[in-house]
Amino acid sequence: MVVKVYGPAYASPKRVIVCLIEKGIEFETVPVDLVKGEHRSPEYLKLQPFGSLPVIQDGDYTLYESRAIIRYYAEKYKSQGTDLLGNTIEERGLVEQWLEVEAHNYHPHIYNLTIQILFSSALGFLPDEKIIKESEEKLGKVLDVYEERLSKSKYLAGDSFSLADLSHLPFTQYLVGPMQKEYLIRERKHVSAWWDDISNRPSWKKVLEL
């Protein structure tokens, strides 16, 4: 059964797609246009009652929230493709820790920048320079913590690429690409090397080609 991934044009669904590629899982994508409000259609709300992206359908099984989805597939297909969870319970603990850091410390600030800089005009409001400045400053402080961590290990959870690293790919791509704030990555030596490593994985390059 081929997995259906809804909303492939956006960052959070890309988090799921790169995981599926790393695990060698077949999938197909279903476009959802946020600007046209397709995520608020009755059909979509039956799948995702909060109207956010992504959703996956795997046969009769439906799941939403991108980090829940990547945890699910990393566990279900643990012995297939790239091991994204760690080899020991201690490694798994670190993977989970840094996934939580990404969700609660990194993501809120980069999400604010994404909405204000990339999507404000499509959503019908002017960018708020105060929010942009504050979000960039807060993101910089988070990246300082990352710099310290990555001075001691190649990846966030240790010496192996994991969900903790993978989860950063889509929104950081916005940061270094269309947002033109690559300096936030490049002025931190270890963060910069880490980003070059994870963003050059064949799986992520394939996502960007889709």
Side-chain angles (χ1 to χ4, degrees):
M1 189 69 69
V2 176
V3 179
K4 286 184 180 178
V5 184
Y6 287 75
Y10 301 97
S12 292
K14 285 183 169 72
R15 181 180 286 124
V16 171
I17 292 169
V18 69
C19 177
L20 295 175
I21 294 171
E22 287 280 351
K23 299 304 291 182
I25 300 166
E26 279 191 70
F27 66 92
E28 61 186 38
T29 57
V30 182
V32 179
D33 192 326
L34 296 181
V35 177
K36 290 181 180 176
E38 290 176 359
H39 60 305
R40 295 291 179 195
S41 71
E43 296 80 14
Y44 188 76
L45 290 174
K46 286 177 186 174
L47 299 173
Q48 217 298 13
F50 301 103
S52 60
L53 296 171
V55 174
I56 63 98
Q57 284 184 300
D58 192 342
D60 295 331
Y61 187 66
T62 301
L63 191 64
Y64 53 83
E65 294 297 340
S66 61
R67 294 172 192 84
I69 296 168
I70 63 175
R71 284 176 166 108
Y72 168 72
Y73 282 112
E75 186 71 63
K76 183 177 181 180
Y77 296 96
K78 186 161 171 54
S79 61
Q80 175 178 314
T82 309
D83 181 3
L84 298 170
L85 293 172
N87 294 312
T88 65
I89 193 70
E90 288 78 17
E91 288 175 7
R92 175 68 179 265
L94 288 172
V95 171
E96 293 290 349
Q97 171 184 278
W98 284 99
L99 261 176
E100 292 296 314
V101 169
E102 185 273 323
H104 300 292
N105 299 88
Y106 186 84
H107 182 76
H109 310 311
I110 202 166
Y111 181 78
N112 282 343
L113 289 171
T114 300
I115 293 298
Q116 292 294 326
I117 297 170
L118 299 185
F119 291 104
S120 56
S121 60
L123 296 172
F125 63 88
L126 292 171
D128 187 322
E129 293 302 328
K130 184 171 181 284
I131 292 175
I132 291 171
K133 183 173 183 291
E134 288 177 354
S135 297
E136 184 172 326
E137 287 173 356
K138 289 174 181 176
L139 183 62
K141 289 177 181 176
V142 174
L143 286 169
D144 287 341
V145 176
Y146 280 45
E147 179 68 8
E148 170 66 17
R149 170 60 181 169
L150 292 164
S151 71
K152 297 171 182 172
S153 64
K154 186 176 181 181
Y155 299 102
L156 287 171
D159 293 326
S160 300
F161 178 78
S162 72
L163 291 183
D165 310 290
L166 177 151
S167 195
H168 288 79
L169 282 163
F171 280 91
T172 310
Q173 188 72 47
Y174 283 163
L175 188 76
V176 303
M179 278 197 261
Q180 298 183 332
K181 292 188 179 292
E182 189 174 15
Y183 55 85
L184 285 166
I185 301 296
R186 295 305 173 199
E187 63 191 14
R188 295 167 174 87
K189 182 177 81 168
H190 299 290
V191 172
S192 182
W194 168 74
W195 174 249
D196 284 342
D197 184 314
I198 67 172
S199 64
N200 279 294
R201 290 183 74 82
S203 60
W204 184 241
K205 289 185 172 181
K206 190 170 181 179
V207 170
L208 296 179
E209 291 167 4
L210 289 176

